[in-house]
Amino acid sequence: MADAYHLYDAPPHPFARRMKRDFSGKASLVASPTTKPVKYYLIDFDLSKEYPPGATRLEEPPWGGDKTVPEHLLPDAPPCDPFPVDVYCLGNTIRQGYLDGWKFAKAKKGFEFMRELIDDMTNPDPQKRPQMSEANSRLKTIIEGLSDWKLRSPIVEVGQRTKVTKLTKHWATQLIRKARGIPLYRNLEYIPLVMLYPFLSWASLTL
């Protein structure tokens, strides 16, 4: 959960973020997370479980909101390790939200640089998925290898036609920030974690 209150001129509605909380009008953005970092809170731990070092990690499926987990779909599915399930669920969330799209979200342009990592995270064989710590490390390496302009590019849905005026405004803002020396992110250490943590259904303590 993100505390983005300070980015708006009035408290936004939690679901209709372009509207004020009381629907009395529109809530306008007055700052960006780049210039005024957002604080993130980790919530919803009702499915979480901590395992002592060396303890057996096997749980009866199914659990969680993702109904496509391969090991949960097996006939008479046996107990399985929840850690690879976490990796699958996170990878599938990113795949649906950015790479391929699904009924609740359209695919976004320019995220193919994550395809190999996401394919590995959603491998049907849980033994072939990377551990969360490895996925985290690989994502950092991927980000470090991208150009500054790639990272500053706007997020555009596949098939969406973006107005020239909107693109001009976006790049003008990015040029000004670059000239002022405003970094894209405060610390690369935290960028992948912010992306990974909110979707975990279990406390994957290997992070």
Side-chain angles (χ1 to χ4, degrees):
M1 184 173 67
D3 180 6
Y5 180 96
H6 60 285
L7 302 183
Y8 294 85
D9 62 352
H13 191 275
F15 298 110
R17 286 176 291 178
R18 297 191 179 188
M19 297 297 295
K20 294 180 180 179
R21 186 174 298 170
D22 60 1
F23 281 95
S24 62
K26 291 186 176 180
S28 300
L29 281 168
V30 294
S32 84
T34 304
T35 54
K36 292 188 177 182
V38 170
K39 181 180 288 188
Y40 291 87
Y41 297 88
L42 308 183
I43 65 170
D44 197 8
F45 289 97
D46 60 317
L47 293 179
S48 299
K49 184 175 181 179
E50 183 175 355
Y51 297 90
T56 300
R57 302 189 315 228
L58 291 176
E59 301 292 339
E60 291 285 346
W63 65 80
D66 193 328
K67 306 305 180 184
T68 67
V69 179
E71 49 265 53
H72 289 187
L73 299 177
L74 295 173
D76 299 319
C80 58
D81 187 342
F83 282 50
V85 173
D86 264 354
V87 173
Y88 175 89
C89 290
L90 176 60
N92 194 43
T93 297
I94 297 173
R95 178 171 62 183
Q96 292 177 332
Y98 292 90
L99 296 174
D100 297 339
W102 67 316
K103 61 181 179 180
F104 295 116
K106 292 183 179 180
K108 313 298 188 296
K109 295 180 181 178
F111 283 90
E112 283 301 316
F113 61 86
M114 295 185 67
R115 177 67 69 178
E116 183 177 353
L117 172 59
I118 299 306
D119 283 349
D120 288 345
M121 293 176 70
T122 55
N123 192 305
D125 185 346
Q127 300 300 319
K128 294 182 180 180
R129 295 173 202 153
Q131 291 188 3
M132 194 68 80
S133 56
E134 180 188 344
N136 185 41
S137 178
R138 285 175 60 181
L139 182 57
K140 290 179 185 178
T141 301
I142 290 171
I143 292 176
E144 288 172 340
L146 298 177
S147 70
D148 186 70
W149 295 111
K150 175 66 174 178
L151 293 171
R152 292 181 184 273
S153 297
I155 296 177
V156 180
E157 293 180 348
V158 172
Q160 176 184 348
R161 298 184 63 182
T162 307
K163 294 181 179 180
V164 175
T165 52
K166 190 173 182 179
L167 286 175
T168 302
K169 181 180 179 181
H170 170 84
W171 285 114
T173 300
Q174 294 304 319
L175 286 171
I176 292 172
R177 289 175 181 168
K178 187 173 177 64
R180 292 173 58 191
I182 299 175
L184 282 166
Y185 36 76
R186 300 296 174 181
N187 190 333
L188 182 58
E189 287 294 315
Y190 299 106
I191 298 303
L193 297 182
V194 167
M195 180 181 291
L196 294 176
Y197 271 135
F199 305 106
L200 298 182
S201 60
W202 290 75
S204 292
L205 303 179
T206 54
L207 273 176

